[in-house]
Amino acid sequence: MSMYINPLQITVAPEALLYRTFNAEANPDPYVLKYNGRYYAYTTSGDGVTMLCSTDMIHWTHCGYAYQREGHADYWAPAVFYDNGLFYMYVSSRPIGEADVHYEYLQVAVAETPSGPFRFVKQLFSTFTIDAHVVRDTDGSLVMLYSTNETLGIDDLRPGTVILADRMIDPLTLEGNPKLIVKPTLDEEIYEHNRFGDGRNWHTIEGAFYLRHRDMHYIMYSGNAFTKPHYYIGYSTAQHQEGESITNLSWSKHPDNETYQPLLRQNEAVEGVGHNSVVKGPNNVEDWVIYHGRDRVPAQGYTEGGGDEERRQMRMDPLLWLGKELWVPGPSSTMRYAPEQPSFRELFDNNCDDTLTSSWHQTAGQWHVKDGELQQQSTLGKSKLLLKQSYATSLFEANVRWEPHHMGGLYGVVITYADDQHYAELLLDAGKRTIGLYEVMGGVKLPPQAVSVQKDFSFAAYHQLLIAVHGKHMTVTLDGIAVLTAKLQALRCGELPCFGLSTHYTSAYFSGVSLTGHLAFDRGTAVELMRYIRAKEGLWRIEGDALQGRSCGQGTAIELYNPFAEASSKLRLDLLGKLGQCELRLKLQSKSPSQHVEHTPPTASNAKVKSVVLPTAEVKSHTTLHLRHQADRLEIWYDRQLLVSEEWTEQLHNLTLDCSHDLTIEAWEWTVLSS
């Protein structure tokens, strides 16, 4: 179990010591990109865009400048978007010697690697524009979020910097039809009072970051300025509408446009808290907010701005979901649980002798490790490399690219493998330009389930495959976009998936391979997860993506079995019901020492039992439970309240939810934790 403390630990790479003009400890406006299992942070700096790298998100190495443009200085708020083999950096800078910050104009620079060096390609605007974030729209096309002054700069009531969104024709070209997304609505967003001498106060909304969770869209932003006590991170939300661009959705601040309720802001230890990005942790489950802040110095006392010296440092805290609300327990300045590692991970960067670790089983092929990549070099026959570890419910990541060949290429990952007569693979076909599920049962090939990739898809570039398997149910995302859902016919009853890497008559490269034991209950996985559920009281049914219990006058109770009882794990439950008017009880049970049959109720006489009555004083319809069992420690959070923190040395086998009224489980997610 790893821990971390803010600000994040930073060492300086030897090559970065050649630069004498940056402060390695100060890294404002951090934007973090995950690529091939590694992390790259890009930050604001005077003489260039600085870059840091990490493999665990805890220990970072400062690598100097990733981008410098001749004749320019003051590089603000860089963000990097990876697409089809190229890295696009969006950043603002201004000519050297120009004192007016309003000459900061957004530009785009391009590189073939995440570390650069990036080269200037195009200036996107000829007016003040900052804080870009380029994302995938609901249809897979691109959208740029950015901040400017012109839209509401002459507003009568609340003039100021706002966030706009514009669709993009390609990574270098805006459509030119921006929509207003987030604007000033609060006095706490006032950056400068009576700025123009006519009584109007100037407001600031900037630092946009977009993310989606289930059927909701979110744009996080920073309000005010880091030199002011009300500086904060907030967020705006919009309900998903099928077929609608995020630029056309109806956005509203949380909790509303008139209430100042920061997601993150200064506390007694940290000030200047803001401008964030969000990135998935190494296990591909957790979300983490990376932001800047600076230590408050009690001896000096608090003053606006805290002096002229740049002291904003890179920090992080977990982003947790309370139903549709966001919660970040921070800004933290004490020891916290670090981002969880996957159950298995291979970055192919520790094999000096070019050999594979003992975690793999090779069936055929010529596999070689070099510089963070694994290459299968042979173009003869079918080659498979199988991972020995597996779970019944799993999340498997592999980053893959093709070695171009005139004969075409078929390559990807193994989903399950019993023998050469019985297996399933997810493969990219460079000739047919598809991605599909290929299965063999009893030596007979089943018809492939394949879909076409985008027209400009480059098979020679790295692409991320993220595959979730729950029993026979499989979902596939390609570069973050869901592309395929299928039923695994080749996975026989009682068998575990068997993940691995595969090529057919072609050479290919692999990097950033990981496996996490993970269960996520939704509409597609519901039937496959019934073996982990037992209704105890009331009438239960699946309705949409939820598990609904009707009390029929006797209350409701349901038992959920831990699919990872042999390991440390954590659980998130989103619950819906008359929770302010009923008693909700949680009972945890360990596995009986004499119990050997998986997912059967423990013997009460031998099992350890713990009961928790959840608070009911607050009238509410929705709540979230977070349970964590790791290193012989049990913690239970009820929304933002820590209810239980005690020793639990036994295996956590199952829990029972017992409610005196109707109860709905909106989300149920269980994840293996690293030991």
Side-chain angles (χ1 to χ4, degrees), residues 369-560:
V369 177
K370 185 178 180 181
D371 298 331
E373 292 182 303
L374 171 68
Q375 183 187 18
Q376 197 294 111
Q377 294 180 331
S378 176
T379 58
L380 302 176
K382 301 176 183 179
S383 302
K384 290 182 178 64
L385 187 66
L386 304 177
L387 184 61
K388 296 178 182 178
Q389 188 173 0
S390 188
Y391 298 96
T393 61
S394 302
L395 194 58
F396 181 68
E397 176 191 8
N399 295 271
V400 301
R401 70 179 178 94
W402 176 48
E403 177 66 40
H405 192 272
H406 66 89
M407 296 294 289
L410 192 63
Y411 63 101
V413 299
V414 179
I415 307 299
T416 187
Y417 181 85
D419 51 45
D420 288 340
Q421 301 290 304
H422 220 101
Y423 62 89
E425 298 176 311
L426 181 77
L427 302 175
L428 289 155
D429 190 322
K432 296 179 180 177
R433 301 192 62 78
T434 60
I435 180 172
L437 175 64
Y438 294 77
E439 296 185 277
V440 173
M441 295 181 66
V444 178
K445 292 183 179 179
L446 303 185
Q449 302 179 55
V451 296
S452 298
V453 297
Q454 294 178 327
K455 289 191 301 183
D456 62 347
F457 188 92
S458 171
F459 291 86
Y462 266 113
H463 297 276
Q464 185 203 49
L465 295 173
L466 191 60
I467 301 144
V469 175
H470 295 82
K472 285 181 171 291
H473 182 84
M474 179 191 74
T475 58
V476 179
T477 60
L478 175 63
D479 296 330
I481 301 174
V483 294
L484 185 64
T485 299
K487 186 174 182 180
L488 294 167
Q489 304 293 343
L491 184 60
R492 294 179 291 198
C493 183
E495 286 185 345
L496 293 178
C498 179
F499 297 100
L501 312 174
S502 176
T503 64
H504 291 226
Y505 310 103
T506 194
S507 176
Y509 291 83
F510 304 86
S511 187
V513 177
S514 70
L515 173 70
T516 298
H518 180 64
L519 175 153
F521 182 91
D522 58 33
R523 190 189 313 238
T525 64
V527 174
E528 295 294 338
L529 298 181
M530 284 299 102
R531 56 179 162 160
Y532 303 113
I533 300 171
R534 176 174 294 183
K536 307 289 285 185
E537 294 287 348
L539 297 176
W540 287 85
R541 66 175 183 176
I542 296 171
E543 185 71 25
D545 289 342
L547 191 61
Q548 295 186 348
R550 185 178 177 185
S551 71
C552 300
Q554 299 297 317
T556 52
I558 193 165
E559 205 166 50
L560 307 177

Side-chain angles (χ1 to χ4, degrees), residues 283-330:
N283 67 357
N284 286 310
V285 177
E286 300 173 332
D287 293 300
W288 288 82
V289 177
I290 317 292
Y291 61 94
H292 65 221
R294 56 192 180 190
D295 294 332
R296 296 180 70 168
V297 184
Q300 297 178 359
Y302 176 78
T303 58
E304 287 193 5
D308 295 331
E309 182 185 0
E310 178 59 82
R311 295 187 291 113
R312 287 176 291 171
Q313 297 171 306
M314 191 164 70
R315 300 165 184 264
M316 70 177 179
D317 282 302
L319 172 61
L320 303 176
W321 302 92
L322 303 181
K324 295 181 179 181
E325 294 185 17
L326 309 185
W327 175 39
V328 180

Side-chain angles (χ1 to χ4, degrees), residues 163-227:
I163 293 173
L164 303 177
D166 196 359
R167 288 171 63 87
M168 303 185 78
I169 298 171
D170 57 50
L172 301 175
T173 312
L174 289 153
E175 189 178 83
N177 186 28
K179 303 293 180 64
L180 178 61
I181 302 296
V182 189
K183 66 179 182 179
T185 59
L186 302 170
D187 288 347
E188 288 85 357
E189 294 161 354
I190 295 174
Y191 167 67
E192 185 176 351
H193 289 271
N194 195 23
R195 182 175 188 177
F196 309 101
D198 58 3
R200 290 184 303 145
N201 302 319
W202 186 261
H203 304 64
T204 298
I205 297 290
E206 59 186 12
F209 189 92
Y210 166 85
L211 65 160
R212 180 177 174 180
H213 182 66
R214 290 156 60 180
D215 62 346
M216 293 295 293
H217 300 267
Y218 301 81
I219 291 178
M220 304 173 76
Y221 61 87
S222 294
N224 211 306
F226 75 91
T227 57

Side-chain angles (χ1 to χ4, degrees), residues 246-284:
I246 60 177
T247 63
N248 295 328
L249 298 179
S250 178
W251 292 90
S252 177
K253 287 180 179 176
H254 176 81
D256 55 62
N257 289 335
E258 287 73 44
T259 304
Y260 176 64
Q261 187 174 304
L263 180 65
L264 273 176
R265 61 159 298 176
Q266 73 173 42
N267 58 21
E268 67 283 353
V270 188
E271 65 183 23
V273 176
H275 201 117
N276 72 281
S277 57
V278 177
V279 67
K280 284 289 183 188
N283 67 357
N284 286 310

Side-chain angles (χ1 to χ4, degrees), residues 66-82:
Y67 173 57
Q68 293 177 298
R69 180 183 175 188
E70 186 175 356
H72 277 244
D74 296 312
Y75 297 80
W76 285 8
V80 175
F81 178 74
Y82 173 72

